[in-house]
Amino acid sequence: MPSVRIDQDLDMHYVIDDYTDPWLQSETILMLHGNAESGAVWYGWVPHLARRFRVIRPDMRGFGASTPMPRTYPWSLDRIIDDYVELMRGLAIERVHLVAAKLGGTVARRFAARCPELIATLTVAGTPPPAREGHEAVVRDWLVDFEANGVEPWARRTMSGRLGSRFPQAGADWWIRLMGRTATSTQLGFMATIPTSNIVEDLPRIQCPTLVITTEGSALGSVDVTRKWQQKIPRSELLVLAGDSYHVAASDADMCARETLAFIERCQRARVAH
């Protein structure tokens, strides 16, 4: 399996999907998954994107086939971003179109604000608001559950809200199994820190064109709540899809991928025109 040694604690696994014309110099899309996932979750997006772009799907530190983290690992958004910067450096990539979902979108918004020279465009699909007031108590309960039961029972219990009422049961079962394979030590450290990160001050610092995708009934926030924080990103637009999932990147993968591809191509044309 391809991987990059990020530091003494981490071998980061990744997959490259590239079906572009070999005589062209294609731009790169870097895809950041969410909590208890891996790069495998972008399966529905790849056929749409990889004909036009080189697509890189890493497994975040601790998740998927990347090195699990001990429960005492000092997680932070900036540490995760540093990992992706090192991955780009290791693969000799100077700039990417950044696509992210769920808590990956929290990482991605900070990434775009902190490293504007590395990010050409940003797309976040089904991502939490920049500050989650009162979420600490929920996370504390989850940590007790993870310690006692591992990750899979939590994934099963919360899956209907994550994927919405239209998602097939066989698909939900696949997601439960995938998320359930997450190391408990990784999940305990990650969830104790990352979900309650506050990125409010990062939003106005995002310089690249940004697409925010949500659903009409997302449990992560109403359309009005999402629009309120989206409008703090200077060059951003909001796409609202029908449905009640909050993981719209999974429940509506084809639509999200097509809209993301169209958004990136619009931005490319505008860049050339100027």
Side-chain angles (χ1 to χ4, degrees), residues 57-104:
R57 296 181 287 137
D59 293 350
M60 188 193 301
R61 171 183 291 268
F63 297 95
S66 293
T67 310
M69 291 294 105
R71 64 187 61 203
T72 56
Y73 181 77
W75 287 90
S76 71
L77 292 180
D78 287 321
R79 175 64 264 183
I80 298 171
I81 292 165
D82 289 343
D83 292 342
Y84 292 131
V85 172
E86 284 299 314
L87 176 66
M88 289 176 62
R89 184 176 293 117
L91 297 178
I93 298 168
E94 295 182 357
R95 206 158 185 246
V96 296
H97 300 278
L98 193 59
V99 176
K102 291 172 52 190
L103 280 169

Side-chain angles (χ1 to χ4, degrees), residues 35 103 106 128-129 132 135 139 142 189-197:
N35 173 40
L103 280 169
T106 300
R132 304 177 79 177
H135 198 60
V139 169
W142 285 348
F190 180 88
M191 290 297 283
T193 307
I194 302 304
T196 53
S197 299

Side-chain angles (χ1 to χ4, degrees), residues 49-60:
L49 303 181
R51 183 67 181 94
R52 283 275 292 106
F53 295 90
R54 181 190 190 202
V55 177
I56 301 180
R57 296 181 287 137
D59 293 350
M60 188 193 301

